[in-house]
Amino acid sequence: MKRGKLLRLTAICLAFYGCVLAACLYGYTVFIQHQMANQIGHALEDVAAQSRLVLRQEVEAKQQLLQGVAQQIVSAGAYQPEAGVRSLMPLVKMYGFKRMGIATADGTAFTTDNRVIQVGQRDFFLAAMENEKVLTAPVKDSTDGMWI
């Protein structure tokens, strides 16, 4: 009889300690998951901040490049947009652009793919005419309706 009570007590203690151990393991697992989620979140924030910086630097470098091209075109003497467009061809090939163009004050744009299009009512053109630097969201190509 004593032996049976001892075995039952031992079994109850083992079950209790087993439950305590399982609860501790579960709590530790939840804690580790929370810590990992925080670390991953912080790492992603750092990567995003670095990406923003790199993108900002790339955009600024390309704006400076375009400003340099614009200065070369204007300083070449009599302003002829049709001739100036030829100087943009290396940039179109280098960066895989669909096209680039030079617009006159009336909104007529001469492009690297030999098109003459009207951009005078486009937001980017109107902003540029106010001497603003402009980066636009994708726009629909007025010649074929495709997104560019």
Side-chain angles (χ1 to χ4, degrees):
M1 184 89 139
K2 229 179 182 185
R3 189 173 180 164
K5 280 186 178 183
L6 185 61
L7 283 175
R8 268 187 270 155
L9 183 61
T10 302
I12 290 171
C13 286
L14 284 175
F16 174 75
Y17 287 126
C19 289
V20 169
L21 180 62
C24 288
L25 286 174
Y26 175 76
Y28 185 69
T29 302
V30 169
F31 173 76
I32 293 295
Q33 287 176 336
H34 180 70
Q35 289 295 101
M36 292 294 289
N38 282 341
Q39 289 178 354
I40 290 170
H42 291 305
L44 289 174
E45 287 173 4
D46 290 344
V47 168
Q50 292 171 2
S51 295
R52 279 192 303 270
L53 178 62
V54 167
L55 286 173
R56 181 177 292 124
Q57 290 171 341
E58 284 185 32
V59 167
E60 289 172 358
K62 289 189 176 44
Q63 282 181 332
Q64 289 174 354
L65 177 68
L66 290 174
Q67 286 174 345
V69 169
Q71 288 171 354
Q72 287 176 351
I73 292 168
V74 172
S75 67
Y79 178 68
Q80 296 178 349
E82 299 92 336
V85 165
R86 286 191 291 277
S87 67
L88 299 175
M89 285 306 297
L91 295 174
V92 171
K93 289 179 183 173
M94 182 184 310
Y95 295 110
F97 295 146
K98 182 174 182 177
R99 77 172 64 91
M100 290 180 77
I102 297 174
T104 59
D106 69 353
T108 303
F110 300 87
T111 68
T112 52
D113 58 352
N114 298 317
R115 295 180 185 212
V116 178
I117 57 178
Q118 195 59 328
V119 295
Q121 298 304 314
R122 295 279 186 128
D123 290 339
F124 66 85
F125 178 80
L126 297 171
M129 291 303 290
E130 295 295 323
N131 204 25
E132 295 177 31
K133 291 181 182 178
V134 180
L135 282 177
T136 66
V139 295
K140 283 199 175 185
D141 187 332
S142 63
T143 61
D144 61 13
M146 300 296 293
W147 288 102
I148 54 174

